[in-house]
Amino acid sequence: MKERKRKRQRKVKKQGPLENRNKAKAQDGVALEIQPLKSEEGVESEEKEKKVFKVPKKEKSVLQGKLTRLAVQIGKAGLIMSAITVIILVLYFVIYTFGVLGRPWLAECTPIYIQYFVKFFIIGVTVLVVAVPEGLPLAVTISLAYSVKKMMKDNNLVRHLDACETMGNATAICSDKTGTLTMNRMTVVQAYVCGTHYRQIPDPEALNPKMLDLLVNGISVNSAYTSKILPPEKEGGLPRQVGNKTECALLGFVLDLKQDYQAVRNEIPEEKLYKVYTFNSVRKSMSTVLSESGGGFRMYSKGASEIILRKCTKILDQGGEVCPFKTRDRDEMVKKVIEPMACEGLRTICLAYRDFPAGTEPDWDNEADILSDLTCISVVGIEDPVRPEVPDAILKCQKAGITVRMVTGDNVNTARAIATKCGILLPGEDFLCLEGKEFNTLIRNEKGEVEQEKLDKVWPRLRVLARSSPTDKHTLVKGIIDSTVAEQRQVVAVTGDGTNDGPALKKADVGFAMGIAGTDVAKEASDIILTDDNFTSIVKAVMWGRNVYDSISKFLQFQLTVNVVAVIVAFTGACITQDSPLKAVQMLWVNLIMDTFASLALATEPPTESLLLRRPYGRNKPLISRTMMKNILGHAVYQLTIIFTLLFAGEKFFDIDSGRNVPLHSPPSEHYTIVFNTFVLMQLFNEINARKIHGERNVFENIFRNPIFCAVVVGTFAAQIVIVEFGGKPFSCSGLTLSQWFWCIFIGLSELLWGQLICTVPTSRLKFLKEAGHGPMKDDIPHEELPEDSDEIDHAEMELRKGQILWFRGLNRIQTQIKVVNAFRSSLYEGLEKPQTRSAIHNFMTHPEFTPQETRPDPQLTDSDSEGEESRGLLKEHTVQTHNHNNNSTAESRPLDITVSPSESPVHSMETSI
């Protein structure tokens, strides 16, 4: 313990002082965490740190932790019952044979005695085999594999298997706006030009020619040249928008003004651009500098209206002339133009320019001076309509107990309008809609550090976070996950598409990356990729996640009923009659039914809308609820009553010879065959009861939607007929008459009627019932005792002794089975992963406490608008090449100066998962 503490203290010292590791830089009122740039001297120290730092331990998923504990408990009970059975059988035989009967141990009788002891040992092994849940890993594997394959059809590409079941426990979703909640087809619908607010696209003849020229040139040049408007693919369709959607909306505005942006670009190719300040989450603007033929420079700027207008000191009047633009004028413009646009759900973009006189060249590195003294050209309102299916999807989430929050870089009024249309904000409810600045003011102290107590007062009521940076998004996600104010710990899902969304996607319990608009870095950091960028796909992921959890619970309800009955019958029968009523081969057949076939049948149930009508289970919800325990014990009592009645009085009822106390090698009896057949048929019909675990009465609901279940039930029944009628001595079965078959089937069908009777008993009155399969509490285990050389933490296993761990791991094959699923999934990634996509991984941050340092602009550097006009933006600058290059390419960008541990990089997580 002391040595480990000293090691941790040495690690803290090597990391350096806190102020050097975690600096906060205030930019536009938002505190950002900055990672120091690499230096030649720092490279060696960072390499040493990589060697010194231990890889953070990875916890097993919630479901795996619960299954681990439950499997250990069942395994222990089975082992104890098996040992007691063998001991009782041996003692009873020895006492009765050599004590009561007084027979001596004769050498010629030794082989017979040994056969009896072997028989007792086989019975004990049979009890153990039936008690141990070998089918549990198989059920988990089948359920996850089935879900992963089906989720592909629902536009969810699952990269990490545990994300399936984690999504079923999700309590909060932090969603982007653009493309996820909206259609991501931007269109300019309003404009403020030359002092006039046009509610529709103005007629180009009504505009001043000088102003029109500035507007067209500013939009055409000051945007990525890869953003284009192409003709529709089909006749009568909408024009295709290629590249950044906001820039495409502005280019479409140029076309609506009957102007040609491509002609301007041909006249001013990319090589002639003198300097570009790319869009990023700090600037919230983009600027392009052109060199004038007569000397001097002209800079075009565009960006968030409140940001650009703050830097404007002049504006174009109705005659196209430049006139002063004072603070009072700006406030009036915000009140009369920008706020009405934003309240209608429009994104407002301001277009401006600035001329630099010939003579001395400005200091391009001094960005604050360069981006000032601008002249406002126009303010346009861009509409991004809400997807028609999103309001219903959000309503389903709210009914399912999941809180949906919007995190966007848009204006707060625009965000509020969109959130109201989506149903995130409802009239009459006391919810918060904050901007990034206000959010940081509420949650940070005087030193700029985030305080969890302050954050806990904000996030429960927060529904919309506008004008947010990637750091704000990560802070919100981390704060919700770490919070302990709610009844249960929050499970947070996050959507993201930009490179800077990487930390939030990594920190979230489940990260969703956009398959269409998402960058390679975002996809590598995510757990699930939305191939259609649609919020409704997240709702389907929630359904599948809850379905996985319920499928495992259904299987457990069925298997534990069989376990209890089979073990008690074998134990009691062996102790009373010196022989198990269910022979070893018969028990193995029952084991096959309840393990392999039942896992196939119950783990492939398709999800239904009813899964969204309950609240999330949470991390500590037991796998076996009190309702399930009521069903398990209720059916076990009924089956034991029937089996023991047939065992001790069946020969009188059917008028056949008794099968009890027969010699060692006697032929199979009809008596024990009826017991075996009735037992199997009761399990078969109880499998239908096991389809419902929440006390529902209609166990046949949607049964034909699962053809695998129907095929398993019919196939098992057919196989049972063959075994009974033609199994003979290998299966210890004797053929039955038609009337005996009808009685066995009738008793089996009575399981369905008994199930209805159990449903009428209220669970609330059965106070003595206990739940099982609780999730382990992470806080209960001290961190000092964690083994430093283990890759995965299983909190249930840590409570066991080393010998028990070895025994359990031989029993629990969940991890081994998952490799089969990974091999199955690897084919899904063919064509998706390309060698060049991994080059961008080095730009990604694995440690959420680090954010990229914005490099200082170089006079010969231009930036690219690669991530769009919103919160996604690359914090890097690109060198202007002498040939034509792609402004949107991330491959040409400088890698961010982030230290990434090899084992924690997305490459590592991807390679280990496939």
Side-chain angles (χ1 to χ4, degrees):
M1 293 279 289
K2 293 180 179 178
E3 290 180 2
R4 287 182 185 144
K5 288 180 180 178
R6 282 197 294 270
K7 286 180 182 177
R8 280 193 296 275
Q9 288 172 359
R10 286 197 295 268
K11 290 176 187 176
V12 171
K13 289 178 182 177
K14 288 190 178 184
Q15 289 176 8
L18 179 63
E19 57 269 21
N20 293 336
R21 288 184 284 112
N22 186 15
K23 295 180 180 179
K25 173 184 175 182
Q27 184 112 7
D28 285 328
V30 180
L32 297 175
E33 295 173 342
I34 304 300
Q35 169 73 1
L37 293 173
K38 278 187 185 175
S39 63
E40 292 181 1
E41 299 144 2
V43 173
E44 293 181 3
S45 63
E46 286 172 356
E47 288 178 356
K48 290 178 182 177
E49 285 181 13
K50 289 180 186 177
K51 296 177 182 178
V52 173
F53 283 129
K54 292 289 182 184
V55 179
K57 315 279 188 305
K58 178 188 174 185
E59 285 189 43
K60 283 190 175 183
S61 67
V62 178
L63 182 61
Q64 283 176 312
K66 293 178 181 179
L67 289 174
T68 297
R69 277 197 165 186
L70 189 61
V72 169
Q73 294 166 357
I74 296 173
K76 283 181 178 179
L79 188 62
I80 293 171
M81 290 295 292
S82 173
I84 293 175
T85 303
V86 174
I87 292 171
I88 291 178
L89 286 172
V90 171
L91 290 177
Y92 186 93
F93 176 77
V94 170
I95 293 172
Y96 181 78
T97 304
F98 303 112
V100 177
L101 299 180
R103 293 177 181 174
W105 185 293
L106 301 175
E108 57 269 21
C109 296
T110 300
I112 297 176
Y113 296 149
I114 292 176
Q115 287 184 38
Y116 271 104
F117 291 141
V118 170
K119 176 185 174 183
F120 299 152
F121 180 74
I122 290 174
I123 292 172
V125 171
T126 304
V127 172
L128 178 62
V129 168
V130 174
V132 169
E134 300 97 338
L136 195 53
L138 183 63
V140 175
T141 303
I142 291 175
S143 182
L144 289 175
Y146 177 78
S147 299
V148 166
K149 188 173 181 180
K150 292 294 184 181
M151 287 174 75
M152 275 292 294
K153 297 181 180 179
D154 288 339
N155 303 306
N156 285 278
L157 177 59
V158 181
R159 297 183 64 248
H160 301 138
L161 276 180
D162 58 352
C164 291
E165 55 98 357
T166 305
M167 210 42 222
N169 295 321
T171 59
I173 299 175
C174 295
S175 174
D176 281 341
K177 179 183 75 67
T178 306
T180 308
L181 301 176
T182 58
M183 297 179 67
N184 198 21
R185 184 172 182 84
M186 306 289 191
T187 308
V188 175
V189 294
Q190 295 186 25
Y192 178 83
V193 185
C194 295
T196 304
H197 186 179
Y198 295 93
R199 297 287 177 175
Q200 296 178 346
I201 302 299
D203 187 352
E205 296 180 358
L207 300 178
N208 184 282
K210 178 182 176 182
M211 196 286 312
L212 184 61
D213 185 58
L214 282 171
L215 190 63
V216 172
N217 288 345
I219 293 175
S220 304
V221 174
N222 188 32
S223 60
Y225 278 33
T226 49
S227 297
K228 299 176 182 178
I229 304 293
L230 299 180
E233 293 181 349
K234 297 180 181 179
E235 187 175 351
L238 295 172
R240 287 180 293 156
Q241 295 183 343
V242 178
N244 181 272
K245 300 299 181 181
T246 304
E247 291 180 347
C248 288
L250 295 172
L251 295 175
F253 180 46
V254 172
L255 296 178
D256 291 339
L257 293 174
K258 298 180 176 58
Q259 305 295 314
D260 185 10
Y261 68 86
Q262 192 59 46
V264 178
R265 289 182 172 181
N266 293 337
E267 183 180 346
I268 310 174
E270 278 188 288
E271 300 87 65
K272 292 187 178 181
L273 301 181
Y274 189 79
K275 182 171 181 59
V276 175
Y277 296 93
T278 187
F279 176 91
N280 63 39
S281 57
V282 177
R283 293 191 189 106
K284 288 188 170 58
S285 65
M286 176 184 179
S287 302
T288 302
V289 180
L290 301 179
S291 178
E292 298 289 296
S293 56
F297 304 92
R298 169 166 288 185
M299 179 181 70
Y300 292 104
S301 296
K302 74 171 187 292
S305 56
E306 59 267 35
I307 302 293
I308 297 295
L309 283 177
R310 203 181 302 144
K311 299 174 181 178
C312 289
T313 57
K314 295 182 282 291
I315 192 172
L316 298 178
D317 60 11
Q318 294 182 352
E321 300 297 327
V322 176
C323 61
F325 187 63
K326 300 180 180 178
T327 304
R328 183 183 60 209
D329 301 327
R330 181 173 68 243
D331 294 340
E332 186 177 355
M333 186 174 177
V334 168
K335 185 177 180 180
K336 293 185 177 180
V337 178
I338 295 176
E339 287 186 359
M341 284 186 181
C343 290
E344 294 178 29
L346 305 183
R347 175 187 296 177
T348 55
I349 300 293
C350 180
L351 305 170
Y353 78 99
R354 178 183 179 182
D355 287 326
F356 295 92
T360 58
E361 184 173 344
D363 181 10
W364 302 113
D365 289 350
N366 192 348
E367 191 175 325
D369 290 342
I370 298 297
L371 296 178
S372 62
D373 196 24
L374 303 178
T375 302
C376 178
I377 303 173
S378 172
V379 174
V380 297
I382 300 176
E383 182 182 47
D384 186 11
V386 174
R387 290 180 183 266
E389 65 273 17
V390 163
D392 289 338
I394 290 179
L395 182 61
K396 288 179 181 178
C397 286
Q398 292 168 345
K399 288 182 178 179
I402 301 172
T403 302
V404 181
R405 294 177 175 85
M406 179 198 291
V407 183
T408 178
D410 267 353
N411 179 286
V412 65
N413 293 321
T414 305
R416 185 184 288 110
I418 297 295
T420 304
K421 291 179 182 178
C422 293
I424 296 175
L425 289 177
L426 300 175
E429 294 189 352
D430 186 23
F431 291 144
L432 291 178
C433 183
L434 300 177
E435 281 190 337
K437 293 180 186 178
E438 190 178 359
F439 174 71
N440 278 278
T441 303
L442 292 174
I443 67 171
R444 294 181 185 269
N445 57 21
E446 298 79 8
K447 298 179 181 179
E449 299 170 344
V450 177
E451 290 189 359
Q452 186 66 41
E453 292 182 2
K454 291 186 175 182
L455 188 58
D456 287 340
K457 297 177 182 178
V458 175
W459 73 260
R461 293 173 50 221
L462 181 66
R463 291 297 179 272
V464 177
L465 185 59
R467 284 286 179 242
S468 63
S469 68
T471 308
D472 298 334
K473 190 173 186 178
H474 174 265
T475 302
L476 175 63
V477 173
K478 184 177 185 298
I480 295 176
I481 292 176
D482 294 344
S483 177
T484 56
V485 293
E487 294 181 3
Q488 61 180 16
R489 186 184 151 200
Q490 298 287 301
V491 179
V492 183
V494 171
T495 66
D497 52 8
T499 301
N500 287 331
D501 289 329
L505 290 171
K506 264 295 194 189
K507 182 62 184 175
D509 293 291
V510 181
F512 287 87
M514 304 295 108
I516 300 173
T519 62
D520 295 334
V521 173
K523 293 174 184 177
E524 291 289 351
S526 66
D527 300 297
I528 298 176
I529 297 175
L530 300 179
T531 56
D532 63 345
D533 291 11
N534 197 335
F535 185 84
T536 54
S537 298
I538 301 177
V539 181
K540 293 175 183 176
V542 172
M543 287 177 58
W544 278 108
R546 295 187 173 188
N547 190 61
V548 167
Y549 198 98
D550 282 6
S551 295
I552 305 303
S553 296
K554 292 173 186 176
F555 173 78
L556 284 171
Q557 177 174 296
F558 172 71
Q559 187 182 39
L560 291 181
T561 304
V562 185
N563 278 12
V564 170
V565 175
V567 170
I568 293 178
V569 167
F571 173 76
T572 308
C575 294
I576 295 176
T577 66
Q578 286 294 291
D579 189 12
S580 173
L582 301 174
K583 308 304 178 185
V585 177
Q586 294 174 352
M587 290 282 246
L588 292 175
W589 166 238
V590 171
N591 203 37
L592 184 66
I593 293 174
M594 71 179 186
D595 281 354
T596 308
F597 293 157
S599 61
L600 275 171
L602 296 172
T604 55
E605 287 276 340
T608 60
E609 292 286 340
S610 61
L611 291 168
L612 298 176
L613 299 179
R614 62 168 173 80
R615 300 189 68 80
Y617 280 146
R619 296 179 182 271
N620 300 321
K621 173 75 175 178
L623 273 172
I624 302 176
S625 62
R626 292 176 64 192
T627 302
M628 291 172 60
M629 191 65 75
K630 177 186 72 174
N631 293 335
I632 292 170
L633 296 180
H635 286 287
V637 168
Y638 174 76
Q639 291 180 17
L640 287 171
T641 304
I642 295 293
I643 293 299
F644 285 132
T645 302
L646 291 176
L647 181 61
F648 295 108
E651 72 274 14
K652 298 177 182 178
F653 182 81
F654 289 102
D655 193 20
I656 54 178
D657 295 332
S658 173
R660 299 189 303 276
N661 300 319
V662 294
L664 186 61
H665 296 293
S666 299
S669 64
E670 285 183 310
H671 182 197
Y672 274 22
T673 302
I674 291 174
V675 172
F676 165 63
N677 196 34
T678 304
F679 177 74
V680 170
L681 290 178
M682 283 195 296
Q683 309 314 323
L684 202 58
F685 287 101
N686 189 39
E687 193 169 346
I688 300 175
N689 285 325
R691 295 183 66 247
K692 302 298 179 182
I693 58 174
H694 299 296
E696 300 94 334
R697 287 191 174 274
N698 186 6
V699 294
F700 293 99
E701 183 183 7
N702 297 323
I703 192 170
F704 294 110
R705 284 185 60 198
N706 187 4
I708 297 178
F709 182 90
C710 299
V712 166
V713 171
V714 173
T716 305
F717 182 68
Q720 179 66 16
I721 295 175
V722 173
I723 287 173
V724 170
E725 295 299 323
F726 306 103
K729 194 166 185 179
F731 280 90
S732 301
C733 290
S734 176
L736 302 179
T737 63
L738 193 60
S739 62
Q740 290 170 344
W741 266 105
F742 276 128
W743 275 110
C744 292
I745 293 174
F746 172 75
I747 295 173
L749 277 169
S750 64
E751 266 288 334
L752 299 175
L753 300 176
W754 184 256
Q756 296 299 309
L757 185 62
I758 291 176
C759 287
T760 59
V761 179
T763 310
S764 57
R765 294 189 178 182
L766 304 176
K767 302 292 186 182
F768 63 91
L769 294 179
K770 293 184 178 181
E771 300 168 326
H774 289 268
M777 294 296 291
K778 181 180 177 183
D779 298 335
D780 294 342
I781 301 172
H783 294 282
E784 289 81 8
E785 296 180 8
L786 298 179
E788 296 186 4
D789 56 345
S790 62
D791 292 329
E792 277 195 339
I793 301 173
D794 188 336
H795 297 305
E797 287 185 5
M798 293 193 62
E799 297 177 353
L800 308 175
R801 295 188 297 273
K802 291 183 178 179
Q804 292 174 317
I805 293 174
L806 294 175
W807 173 80
F808 169 72
R809 285 182 176 173
L811 174 68
N812 182 4
R813 301 189 295 269
I814 291 179
Q815 293 300 321
T816 306
Q817 297 282 353
I818 286 179
K819 292 180 181 178
V820 179
V821 186
N822 284 330
F824 158 76
R825 290 171 51 237
S826 62
S827 60
L828 301 179
Y829 287 88
E830 290 178 11
L832 296 179
E833 298 296 332
K834 299 179 182 179
Q836 60 267 30
T837 61
R838 295 191 173 182
S839 64
I841 294 172
H842 303 291
N843 294 345
F844 173 71
M845 301 166 293
T846 58
H847 301 291
E849 63 267 25
F850 293 151
T851 53
Q853 166 82 21
E854 182 189 348
T855 57
R856 293 182 60 198
D858 189 272
Q860 296 300 320
L861 293 181
T862 57
D863 295 299
S864 63
D865 186 12
S866 62
E867 294 301 320
E869 298 291 343
E870 275 306 311
S871 62
R872 58 184 193 277
L874 295 180
L875 300 177
K876 52 180 172 278
E877 301 184 350
H878 298 252
T879 305
V880 176
Q881 305 293 332
T882 55
H883 54 83
N884 188 12
H885 66 283
N886 184 351
N887 262 358
N888 272 4
S889 172
T890 59
E892 297 178 15
S893 65
R894 292 182 179 178
L896 295 176
D897 299 316
I898 302 299
T899 302
V900 180
S901 173
S903 56
E904 276 297 286
S905 69
V907 176
H908 175 76
S909 63
M910 189 68 176
E911 288 174 348
T912 53
S913 65
I914 294 185

